[in-house]
Amino acid sequence: ENVVDGVISTDASGTGRGAILELVGEDGTKTTWKTLGRWGEQDDSGEQAHREACGTLRALETFLQAMQGKLILHLTDCVPVSSAMGAGSKESEVLHRLSVQIWKLCARWSVHFESMWISGDDMVKNGCDELSRDATVYKHDVLVLDAACQGNGG
């Protein structure tokens, strides 16, 4: 029996962000969605920890409907983001604000969201690191990329 309903990995680079959501159905089948995008003017993308948190928020916005009512484990290779997701941040106003936005979004959509740190090497292995860097090769607007995320069973 699965302890969580799904796992979302999020990663960010200087130019973009990526996320992978894997959900496990009641019958045990896995469904995977991926999304990526470039930073826009509205994004807090000045510092790496801010990019990581903002990328998490954008991924949640993209996948909210699929995650509604589920227990989701969030994987990040950014210790400040993992910490801020659990308790907020007294060191960074931006991280704290983004954490509160994520908490409110999850509460509104009944998403139970728990964040955990993984190594950068593990982020590379699961493919999320590459997604955040691949955003640089696309010429489309970030909203178009997010809207085009695809699910595939398997």
Side-chain angles (χ1 to χ4, degrees):
E1 179 179 338
N2 290 316
V3 176
V4 297
D5 300 309
V7 176
I8 187 168
S9 302
T10 62
D11 199 29
S13 70
T15 53
R17 58 193 169 31
I20 300 171
L21 173 63
E22 297 176 321
L23 293 178
V24 180
E26 290 180 19
D27 62 356
T29 59
K30 288 185 181 179
T31 304
T32 301
W33 289 275
K34 298 177 181 182
T35 186
L36 55 93
R38 293 185 300 168
W39 297 119
E41 290 179 20
Q42 77 282 6
D43 294 318
D44 287 302
S45 59
E47 295 182 26
Q48 185 60 28
H50 300 168
R51 287 191 291 269
E52 299 280 356
C54 190
T56 300
L57 176 61
R58 297 291 172 244
L60 282 169
E61 291 169 340
T62 300
F63 297 132
L64 266 176
Q65 203 167 14
M67 295 188 303
Q68 186 172 18
K70 296 187 174 13
L71 172 58
I72 303 295
L73 176 62
H74 169 237
L75 302 178
T76 176
D77 62 358
C78 184
V79 171
V81 169
S82 179
S83 296
M85 291 302 111
S89 175
K90 67 178 186 177
E91 282 86 33
S92 169
E93 228 178 270
V94 173
L95 267 183
H96 188 75
R97 181 176 41 77
L98 288 166
S99 295
V100 169
Q101 284 181 265
I102 288 168
W103 296 337
K104 286 180 178 179
L105 199 58
C106 287
R108 226 174 310 161
W109 284 79
S110 301
V111 176
H112 186 100
F113 191 76
E114 293 292 333
S115 195
M116 184 175 102
W117 175 85
I118 64 171
S119 72
D121 288 343
D122 286 339
M123 196 62 72
V124 169
K125 286 178 195 169
N126 78 13
C128 199
D129 178 81
E130 182 180 2
L131 279 177
S132 73
R133 297 173 196 290
D134 278 353
T136 60
V137 301
Y138 291 89
K139 304 289 187 222
H140 305 291
D141 183 79
V142 68
L143 296 174
V144 174
L145 289 172
D146 282 347
C149 71
Q150 297 178 331
N152 59 10

